[in-house]
């Protein structure tokens, strides 16, 4: 009985969401919002070691697309922001830093764990990557699915999945790059297996409040080398799909 009720509620919520999102087109990119974005990217540029192409891609992608209109004023602040289901869109500096570490190139095949708002996936698509992204929260997956149809050309480069990122996507492996955007207690073995020899994985490691940004390079002989790149805070990587 309880299960049936939950299924019904689930369907209803999806319908409501669909109605809202069907009306949703990527919001207009006004000169004011573009100006705010430029200011943010210039601030990020002041911080060292961020890749220029990554910053250009972040200048190209309107981050306010991933916010409700009431919250646009927060879209160009360098901070994480709630996106529903208890999750957050990552802080712009974190996106720039992780993407810099990932060393992408046009056409490279990237697996992202934690679609969330979809912002990071679209930044990777703007860099010319072929993106495969997984989300375990149905609401966020559905929201991105609806938004995806309204995205400009980037959408052809993004495939999205509802599932458990710990398992990766064996049917589409190997990947040249893997980017994990939630904090994992340990390096997931199945993701290492799905990384192509010569590939790079960027993953925040640590089960507590703070994670260490970790870069893993898989040698052509299959051996991995690991380096640390400072402390960050992420929502946790949780196994299995969320029940609701
Ligand atoms: N890349 C996102 C950041 C989202 S926050 C963006 O640009 O907005 C991290 C996301 O990881 C959350 O949405 C959370 O639900 C998701 N997540 C946590 N554990 C996961 C798992 N095992 N598989 C897939 N997604 C997971």
């Amino acid at each position: 009985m309880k299960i049936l009720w939950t299924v019904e509620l689930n369907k209803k919520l999806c319908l409501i969401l669909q109605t809202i999102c069907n009306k949703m087109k990527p919001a207009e990119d006004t000169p004011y919002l573009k100006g705010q974005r430029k200011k943010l990217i210039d601030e990020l540029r002041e911080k060292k070691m961020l890749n220029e192409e990554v910053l250009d891609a972040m200048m190209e992608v309107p981050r306010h697309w991933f916010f409700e209109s009431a919250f646009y004023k927060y879209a160009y602040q360098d901070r994480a922001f709630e996106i529903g289901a208890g999750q957050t869109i990552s802080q712009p500096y974190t996106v720039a830093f992780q993407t810099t570490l990932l060393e992408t190139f046009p056409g490279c095949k990237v697996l992202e764990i934690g679609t969330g708002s979809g912002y990071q996936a679209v930044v990777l698509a703007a860099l010319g990557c072929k993106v495969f992204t997984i989300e375990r929260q149905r609401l966020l997956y559905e929201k991105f699915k609806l938004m995806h149809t309204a995205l400009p050309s980037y959408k052809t480069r993004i495939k999205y999945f509802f599932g458990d990122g710990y398992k990766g996507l064996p049917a589409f492996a190997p990947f040249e790059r893997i980017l994990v955007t939630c904090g994992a207690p340990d390096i997931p073995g199945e993701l290492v297996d799905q990384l192509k020899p010569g590939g790079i994985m960027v993953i925040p490691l640590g089960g507590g409040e703070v994670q260490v940004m970790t870069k893993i390079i898989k040698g052509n002989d299959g051996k991995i080398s690991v380096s640390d790149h400072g402390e960050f805070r992420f929502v946790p990587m949780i196994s299995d799909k969320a029940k609701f």
Side-chain angles (χ1 to χ4, degrees):
M1 187 64 195
K2 195 168 175 204
I3 293 173
L4 276 177
W5 185 81
T6 312
V7 170
E8 272 316 301
L9 185 72
N10 209 333
K11 278 191 201 151
K12 271 191 191 140
L13 256 158
C14 285
L15 263 175
I16 295 168
L17 199 71
Q18 217 157 357
T19 320
I20 298 167
C21 294
N22 272 343
K23 290 184 194 146
M24 196 172 94
K25 294 235 171 357
E28 201 196 336
D29 196 17
T30 63
Y32 173 75
L33 290 166
K34 260 190 196 135
Q36 293 292 100
R37 186 157 74 253
K38 177 152 187 335
K39 238 170 98 187
L40 169 69
I41 301 301
D42 287 344
E43 273 167 38
L44 294 180
R45 194 170 279 118
E46 300 279 295
K47 308 192 180 183
K48 30 183 189 129
M49 295 192 311
L50 297 175
N51 179 288
E52 266 308 310
E53 284 166 18
V54 171
L55 293 176
D56 287 348
M58 290 175 67
M59 184 61 215
E60 190 180 308
V61 178
R63 191 168 180 260
H64 66 273
W65 280 355
F66 304 84
F67 285 62
E68 284 170 32
S69 55
F71 301 123
Y72 282 176
K73 64 178 174 199
Y74 301 109
Y76 298 111
Q77 295 180 0
D78 191 17
R79 53 180 277 191
F81 199 80
E82 281 182 28
I83 52 171
Q87 307 304 316
T88 53
I89 178 172
S90 302
Q91 183 183 342
Y93 175 70
T94 306
V95 172
F97 191 76
Q98 279 201 289
T99 316
T100 295
L101 284 181
L102 202 61
E103 296 181 39
T104 66
F105 53 89
C108 82
K109 199 172 152 191
V110 184
L111 172 65
E112 182 200 19
I113 311 300
T115 313
S117 67
Y119 174 66
Q120 171 76 74
V122 175
V123 169
L124 289 167
L127 280 162
C129 304
K130 284 182 268 173
V131 187
F132 295 74
T133 181
I134 314 178
E135 174 56 56
R136 70 178 287 280
Q137 292 280 357
R138 184 169 274 286
L139 272 176
L140 298 178
Y141 164 80
E142 295 291 346
K143 207 168 160 183
F144 182 64
K145 186 171 165 184
L146 292 161
M147 181 187 188
H148 181 263
T149 59
L151 280 174
S153 57
Y154 311 118
K155 74 174 166 204
T156 56
R157 294 193 210 121
I158 305 175
K159 292 196 184 345
Y160 49 91
F161 302 83
F162 174 54
D164 179 3
Y166 273 102
K167 300 196 175 93
L169 289 172
F172 296 91
F175 297 95
E176 287 160 312
R177 300 289 185 264
I178 298 181
L179 178 61
V180 180
T181 66
C182 36
D186 303 295
I187 302 173
E190 288 185 62
L191 295 186
V192 175
D193 291 346
Q194 290 173 35
L195 187 62
K196 196 172 172 176
I200 297 175
M201 167 156 43
V202 174
I203 179 167
L205 280 181
E209 296 252 302
V210 173
Q211 287 75 38
V212 175
M213 191 64 78
T214 309
K215 179 169 179 170
I216 296 166
I217 301 177
K218 190 174 194 176
N220 287 324
D221 56 1
K223 287 202 181 117
I224 62 166
S225 63
V226 177
S227 56
D228 294 351
H229 300 269
E231 292 189 342
F232 289 78
R233 279 169 193 268
F234 282 83
V235 293
M237 182 167 177
I238 301 171
S239 61
D240 218 344
K241 295 176 197 167
K243 295 280 174 286
F244 182 64

